[in-house]
Amino acid sequence: MILTIDNMNGGGAIDYTAVLSADAPFTIERVLNTPSRCTGTLEVGSLANPGASSTLPVPVRRGRVVVTAASGTVLFTGYLATEPVPVYVGVGLAGPVYRVAFSAISDEWLLDKQSLTLTADGFTVPAGSLLQELTQRTAANVLTTAQVQSGRPIGVFTPQPTQPWSTNAGGIAGSTYAAYRVLNGALSMSPIGSVTHTLDFDAGQSDGTLQVAALQTAMVKELANDVTLSGQIEPTAYVSEMFLGDGTTTVFTLSDEPFRTSKPTLLADSFNQPAFNTQIWNVADPGSHLSLCGAGLVLSGGNGYDGQTTLTAIDPVEMGGSLVVEAGKVQLTSPSDGVLCGLYSGATQRSNCFAGYNVRQSGGATILTPFVNGAEVGTTYTLLSGHTYTFRIRLHSPEVQRVMQTYYTRVDGAVESFGGGLVAAPMQLLFDLIDLGDASNTPATVLYDGAVTTSPASCSFAAIDSVQLTGSMGFCSVTQSGSAWVVSTLPSGASETRLIGIAGEGVDCKIAATGVMTFFAGRVPVAGEVITVSYRLRSRSIARLEDAASVAAEASAGVSGTARWLGKVVRPLARSSADCESAAQAVLSFASSRAAAIAGSYTSINPVADVWPGDVLSITANGQMINTVVRQVAIADGAASPEVLIYRIAFANDWAETLGVTLSEAIATDAFLPTTALIASGAVLANLQQLTVTSATTTALQIDAGIAPPTGGGFEVRLRDGDFGAGVDQNLVLRSPVRNFTIPRSAQVERYYVRMYDGSTPPLYSRLSSAVFTNLPVA
């Protein structure tokens, strides 16, 4: 084994192999999807070691460490993360004798020292692309990424800016059943099992390289066939809560706190830096038409082609809940042509624009028009020369989470996926603008207030698509403000969307996190005006799933075959109960197999091939064969000639040590545990996303379920959530076999919960309720 250290003083790499202490272990430790470490002790000269046998310099912090086997295989490259430590070993003729202990961390240590500026999640993208993007955004060109394989798609990846690069990289790799490593300045990632090492102890190999005594195996977990998993706080019931205005009341309190995301700001840039922030934006500007100055982002035209001069956010936007896209301090001059604040389902081109502001010339004037699904809608607005504007696009979907999580496990030697997919949902859109020259209490000008029945689950965001835009933009932002959306129905029957925000922005009201809705002066609901607030409730996500075949197989002599296990999904995040079901399905795929609980170790001397975590060991012993994943490798130098390298290999299968789904045995304390287990994941009907109250009188509520009932089924209305089921009569209000039905009213404050059911036995129901809450007078 050859050890060199470059102390970065211009002297180049120095060979320290001869001064490695034979009395102290020199080891390289590799752990799956975490940095490798190299530790050892040197007998080198220093002021603290006058009797040392070598005058080689003491290595320094940040020194570059390279370890190579005699065969030429590079075993480790990295850096000394701390100053080497003198270790007292006794007294010599010249005084106290010290050795120097050192510890090095593999090359990703350079990235772990950098701060992460990650603004949003990754949705349904290949893990390799996400890892490459993470690496370049953390510290560009520090590591080469050509060896990163595309890998399996990741469902939802939420980066943790408080954690180092290696933790996030390990999360990406582990979530897609892959292994990353960094060696010689190169980052690589490949699927688990890309390399297989065969250990056939029954073959009677004569060279003695395989030693049965060096193999230790054990079953480290009991079988489980009834799994309960908790996840994140999720949005639950779809609520429509109704109030009646009287011309004076300004404060209305919702019955519950609306669901809100923990990270409301998805993107924000004030364009006040010398250069574009490449951790936020991808800049395409072949003609140098985009620049930054004191006024912010300066637009000086384009090359005349759509989609070639763009400023596009690196991170996609999940099109769920209530989103606000805003561009402030905007000035545009003639001639101008392009799209501002565009959300794109595909490449940044007008034809792919789901929502944005279309800018063009008409009769010598610069006009602005809302743009939805590649076409102009609503009212056209003429921009005035020298005026400064704020443009906003407000979007609302009843579904907050549009992308389902994907979980991977290794089943019978093959990797399988569970979950995934997109959630279909309608979208309401409102475009409004403010002329900043107007008074602060001037209402915003609404250019479009409409809806689409289908919408993309995620979009890319481009602040600028300049065909020939001229002007400037002071700032732009994309926020996820929660799940609330407010619509008023006037006594005349006309309806309008109420704008939510803060005072002084031309909006109507604000909604606090506690659920208190306050209308601003001049925007107070008039007498007889019905205010409907749409929002989602919140609770802990949880699911319980059972492997019926395993339960039956385990049952004997009248003893129950159920083997229950409870835990929490740590990674990938389970954002909903549906995700928890997918994770439980993944766990059952291996937790009910005895081979999946195997863990153990093997010690090999000078193996034929270098072994890394993520490799697979194919072990045949005593007539049985198992395949298991290497989790950890410790390489020790035997201090001998010829070279002796001792590999201590720890391995485990998924139930012994989870990989594609990381679990904790501490289930969430606020989880409401299901009393019965589902046999099949996803055995539910569609939620009633578009249930609406078409009429509210003093005696009845007219309901449109928004969807036709299933054959033999209908819609069940109850006074409390969670009591749904055939034969359960408490709290039952009615069952309707038709889409439109009437709920009789009996009190001013009422709560009704509705789910769809089918004609099966027992009937299936919607996973979540749609709720109607009223605070309206009765006859």
Side-chain angles (χ1 to χ4, degrees):
M1 184 180 289
I2 301 168
L3 167 68
T4 64
I5 302 176
D6 186 343
N7 292 306
M8 302 299 181
N9 56 6
I14 300 174
D15 190 341
Y16 281 83
T17 308
V19 295
L20 273 171
S21 174
D23 296 334
F26 175 71
T27 59
I28 297 169
E29 184 177 5
R30 303 166 174 171
V31 179
L32 183 61
N33 290 330
T34 59
S36 300
R37 291 182 175 271
C38 175
T39 58
T41 304
L42 302 174
E43 297 179 352
V44 293
S46 71
L47 294 176
N49 190 1
S53 60
S54 170
T55 57
L56 290 176
V58 175
V60 297
R61 189 180 68 87
R62 298 182 68 88
R64 170 77 168 163
V65 178
V66 177
V67 181
T68 309
S71 62
T73 301
V74 178
L75 302 176
F76 175 88
T77 61
Y79 296 86
L80 298 174
T82 58
E83 296 290 351
V85 179
V87 178
Y88 175 75
V89 294
V91 178
L93 296 177
V97 176
Y98 294 84
R99 292 175 181 151
V100 176
F102 69 90
S103 177
I105 302 177
S106 51
D107 291 349
E108 60 261 53
W109 177 76
L110 295 176
L111 277 75
D112 281 351
K113 300 298 103 181
Q114 308 299 314
S115 61
L116 296 178
T117 305
L118 304 174
T119 56
D121 300 335
F123 305 109
T124 60
V125 295
S129 300
L130 201 57
L131 182 59
Q132 289 173 324
E133 193 64 60
L134 174 74
T135 304
Q136 292 303 310
R137 291 172 68 179
T138 303
N141 302 320
V142 171
L143 300 177
T144 62
T145 60
Q147 298 179 39
V148 175
Q149 296 185 28
S150 178
R152 302 178 181 90
I154 198 165
V156 179
F157 173 68
T158 302
Q160 303 176 61
T162 58
Q163 296 297 321
W165 176 91
S166 59
T167 298
N168 283 286
I172 294 172
S175 296
T176 54
Y177 221 84
Y180 94 82
R181 74 180 72 156
V182 180
L183 190 67
N184 255 347
L187 170 66
S188 63
M189 187 182 76
S190 56
I192 297 291
S194 296
V195 176
T196 298
H197 304 275
T198 300
L199 305 179
D200 189 347
F201 295 98
D202 292 349
Q205 294 190 17
S206 59
D207 58 6
T209 56
L210 296 181
Q211 301 293 327
V212 177
L215 177 67
Q216 302 293 326
T217 60
M219 295 285 186
V220 297
K221 270 188 181 179
E222 294 184 14
L223 175 145
N225 53 29
D226 185 329
V227 173
T228 301
L229 293 176
S230 66
Q232 305 295 299
I233 296 295
E234 70 170 333
T236 52
Y238 306 78
V239 176
S240 295
E241 184 157 10
M242 307 171 72
F243 302 92
L244 188 67
D246 57 14
T248 58
T249 301
T250 60
V251 177
F252 301 84
T253 302
L254 303 179
S255 300
D256 290 277
E257 297 178 5
F259 176 86
R260 299 170 70 93
T261 60
S262 59
K263 188 172 61 177
T265 301
L266 305 181
L267 178 149
D269 196 343
S270 297
F271 301 120
N272 55 1
Q273 300 298 316
F276 289 108
N277 187 340
T278 56
Q279 292 187 325
I280 298 178
W281 303 107
N282 280 323
V283 184
D285 187 17
S288 300
H289 298 292
L290 306 178
S291 60
L292 298 176
C293 72
L297 171 60
V298 178
L299 314 172
S300 57
N303 62 4
Y305 294 97
D306 181 27
Q308 294 193 13
T309 303
T310 61
L311 184 64
T312 306
I314 294 173
D315 295 310
V317 176
E318 187 174 20
M319 302 295 286
S322 296
L323 295 164
V324 179
V325 179
E326 182 175 14
K329 298 181 180 179
V330 179
Q331 287 188 344
L332 291 176
T333 60
S334 298
S336 279
D337 185 4
V339 177
L340 298 179
C341 299
L343 292 162
Y344 296 86
S345 181
T348 305
Q349 294 179 338
R350 275 179 164 139
S351 58
N352 296 324
C353 184
F354 171 69
Y357 278 103
N358 193 48
V359 181
R360 58 184 174 86
Q361 299 299 295
S362 178
T366 301
I367 63 172
L368 182 85
T369 311
F371 212 47
V372 176
N373 282 327
E376 292 186 345
V377 297
T379 302
T380 294
Y381 187 90
T382 301
L383 299 175
L384 301 178
S385 178
H387 284 230
T388 304
Y389 299 90
T390 295
F391 303 141
R392 297 191 188 97
I393 305 173
R394 304 171 187 271
L395 308 99
H396 173 73
S397 170
E399 297 293 346
V400 180
Q401 296 160 349
R402 303 291 304 278
V403 181
M404 306 298 290
Q405 191 61 270
T406 304
Y407 297 91
Y408 295 95
T409 64
R410 188 178 175 89
V411 181
D412 296 329
V415 176
E416 295 186 10
S417 65
F418 300 88
L422 306 176
V423 179
M427 185 78 72
Q428 292 173 274
L429 303 99
L430 187 143
F431 292 70
D432 67 278
L433 64 81
I434 298 174
D435 188 330
L436 297 181
D438 294 338
S440 61
N441 63 345
T442 302
T445 301
V446 175
L447 301 181
Y448 177 72
D449 187 354
V452 294
T453 56
T454 59
S455 61
S458 64
C459 284
S460 61
F461 171 70
I464 302 295
D465 174 14
S466 178
V467 177
Q468 197 69 37
L469 291 172
T470 56
S472 63
M473 179 185 292
F475 68 88
C476 76
S477 65
V478 180
T479 57
Q480 214 285 7
S481 56
S483 60
W485 190 258
V486 183
V487 175
S488 283
T489 303
L490 300 174
S492 65
S495 64
E496 63 177 6
T497 301
R498 293 292 206 143
L499 308 186
I500 305 171
I502 60 177
E505 291 188 343
V507 299
D508 301 312
C509 62
K510 66 177 181 179
I511 299 181
T514 55
V516 176
M517 178 171 58
T518 305
F519 285 86
F520 301 127
R523 316 309 203 273
V524 179
V526 301
E529 179 180 341
V530 178
I531 306 104
T532 302
V533 186
S534 301
Y535 62 97
R536 300 288 297 273
L537 300 183
R538 61 196 303 275
S539 68
R540 176 68 62 181
S541 61
I542 193 165
R544 181 181 175 189
L545 208 61
E546 178 184 270
D547 185 336
S550 175
V551 172
E554 290 293 308
S556 62
V559 177
S560 172
T562 299
R564 195 172 182 190
W565 189 87
L566 291 82
K568 179 170 59 179
V569 183
V570 177
R571 189 195 71 203
L573 292 179
R575 303 191 298 167
S576 66
S577 293
D579 286 345
C580 289
E581 279 186 20
S582 299
Q585 209 178 5
V587 172
L588 284 175
S589 72
F590 54 73
S592 57
S593 168
R594 285 174 167 76
I598 287 178
S601 63
Y602 179 67
T603 301
S604 176
I605 298 176
N606 292 343
V608 175
D610 195 14
V611 182
W612 280 86
D615 293 352
V616 165
L617 298 183
S618 179
I619 302 173
T620 301
N622 196 28
Q624 295 183 333
M625 188 186 77
I626 60 169
N627 290 321
T628 185
V629 178
V630 176
R631 304 305 180 102
Q632 185 172 341
V633 178
I635 306 173
D637 181 16
S641 182
E643 179 181 68
V644 173
L645 296 180
I646 305 169
Y647 279 65
R648 294 181 175 87
I649 303 167
F651 55 83
N653 279 344
D654 281 26
W655 190 220
E657 185 178 338
T658 56
L659 175 56
V661 50
T662 303
L663 305 172
S664 166
E665 295 195 26
I667 197 167
T669 57
D670 59 352
F672 182 79
L673 298 181
T675 56
T676 58
L678 297 174
I679 296 177
S681 177
V684 294
L685 300 184
N687 296 320
L688 304 177
Q689 297 173 337
Q690 301 186 63
L691 182 143
T692 57
V693 180
T694 58
S695 173
T697 68
T698 57
T699 59
L701 298 173
Q702 299 294 328
I703 305 296
D704 178 3
I707 189 174
T711 301
F715 306 96
E716 191 170 292
V717 183
R718 292 186 175 271
L719 295 176
R720 284 183 172 79
D721 204 0
D723 290 336
F724 291 88
V728 181
D729 294 329
Q730 65 266 29
N731 302 315
L732 177 65
V733 177
L734 59 88
R735 292 188 179 96
S736 171
V738 295
R739 169 174 171 168
N740 296 282
F741 54 92
T742 301
I743 302 176
R745 297 198 57 212
S746 59
Q748 176 166 327
V749 178
E750 296 171 309
R751 289 189 176 197
Y752 299 107
Y753 298 88
V754 187
R755 295 193 192 189
M756 182 164 60
Y757 66 93
D758 68 5
S760 60
T761 304
L764 298 178
Y765 281 79
S766 304
R767 184 189 299 277
L768 302 174
S769 296
S770 290
V772 177
F773 298 169
T774 65
N775 193 337
L776 304 172
V778 293

